Amino acid sequence: MMKCKTAILILIIAISPNVYSDSLNDLIEDARKKPYNAPTLAKLAQAYRKQKQYGNSIRLYQRCIELAPEKEKYYLYLSSVYNRIENPQKAKTILQVGLSNNNNSPTLTKKLASTLYKLGDYSNAITNYQKAIAMQKNKKPSTRLFTGI
């Protein structure tokens, strides 16, 4: 018996218009064949993001996180979509969940700091930037962490 979330995912893929390029159609076909393969779903989510189909992109990235919660990149991608659609509060929540699964991730911590800054939580943003710098033990601390605010 197919799980409800997988059925919804397959439905999203199935109803996608056929007006996309061959590469997107190839990604849709791959996702139909491999609905439990997070990297395949992430590629399709990225294609939807480029097409500005953010709802489909969000659902696919959420599925990637369900399939591979240890992979920090899926949290980063999903938070990026939320930031793009001007929902930094959702991005913050996703990053916090990601940090609960990958608590030594300087990348997630840096992204959380940037999101906190967008939300106007400057004190916590600075704290998280400092944590991110401290986590980069083998790397030279970079002021680049503070750019793009």
Side-chain angles (χ1 to χ4, degrees), residues 6 49 58 93 98 113:
T6 303
R49 189 174 90 181
I58 287 169
T93 302

Side-chain angles (χ1 to χ4, degrees), residues 31-42:
R32 282 185 183 140
K33 292 176 185 175
K34 305 174 195 173
Y36 297 103
N37 185 290
T40 300
L41 298 178

Side-chain angles (χ1 to χ4, degrees), residues 23-42:
S23 62
L24 183 58
N25 286 331
D26 292 343
L27 289 171
I28 291 169
E29 188 59 34
D30 285 348
R32 282 185 183 140
K33 292 176 185 175
K34 305 174 195 173
Y36 297 103
N37 185 290
T40 300
L41 298 178

